[in-house]
Amino acid sequence: IGENVYETGLRAENLAKVLSQHFSHLEVLTFPKENPRIAAAPLAAMCRHADFVMYASTARGKLSELEVELALSAFTQNKPALHLALWNPYHAMQIGQPALLSYGFRQPSLQALARVLAGEPILGKLPIDIR
């Protein structure tokens, strides 16, 4: 059975649109799933002048080793960083860094994510143990 449109993942432009409503200086870096290494140098350059780094994983399936490698590089840039696991909560286990999980990326989930990142308290409890 093939994947439907919702299962193809979140487009970076959609996430950026929601987050930019709360964070006016947001910069977005995307990369092709087949070649995450292409983003390594631009990521390091963006981090030099960033106050905070967010790495968003939006795929349904397991992250590739190269995707995990790129994600981990975001946490070694001497900046505060957060992983946004926006669909698959197990991505947080793969990356093993501070993460915010949303279990989806439809508009209400993205709006809640943006509000939490802007300082609202997090409500809810994970139905799984991801230690």
Side-chain angles (χ1 to χ4, degrees), residues 11-112:
R11 294 181 46 86
E13 297 83 20
N14 295 344
L15 176 59
K17 182 178 178 181
V18 172
L19 293 181
S20 66
Q21 295 171 2
H22 296 272
F23 305 99
S24 59
H25 296 1
L26 180 72
E27 292 184 56
V28 178
L29 174 65
T30 61
F31 60 88
K33 183 171 180 57
E34 307 78 40
N35 188 11
R37 283 194 175 127
I38 199 168
L43 174 64
M46 288 174 77
C47 287
R48 280 195 281 279
H49 66 273
D51 294 323
F52 191 85
V53 177
M54 289 184 283
Y55 180 90
S57 61
T58 62
R60 178 181 185 203
K62 185 176 180 178
L63 297 172
S64 71
E65 287 183 35
L66 294 177
E67 289 174 296
V68 172
E69 181 182 305
L70 179 65
L72 290 175
S73 74
F75 289 88
T76 61
Q77 302 294 324
N78 295 319
K79 301 287 179 162
L82 179 65
H83 172 203
L84 305 177
L86 301 182
W87 190 353
N88 186 335
Y90 296 102
H91 288 176
M93 290 174 61
Q94 281 189 270
I95 295 174
Q97 297 294 323
L100 180 59
L101 287 65
S102 73
Y103 281 95
F105 47 80
R106 293 197 189 267
Q107 198 63 25
S109 294
L110 292 180
Q111 291 295 337

Side-chain angles (χ1 to χ4, degrees), residues 93 128-131:
M93 290 174 61
I128 61 169
D129 183 5
I130 61 167
R131 283 183 240 151

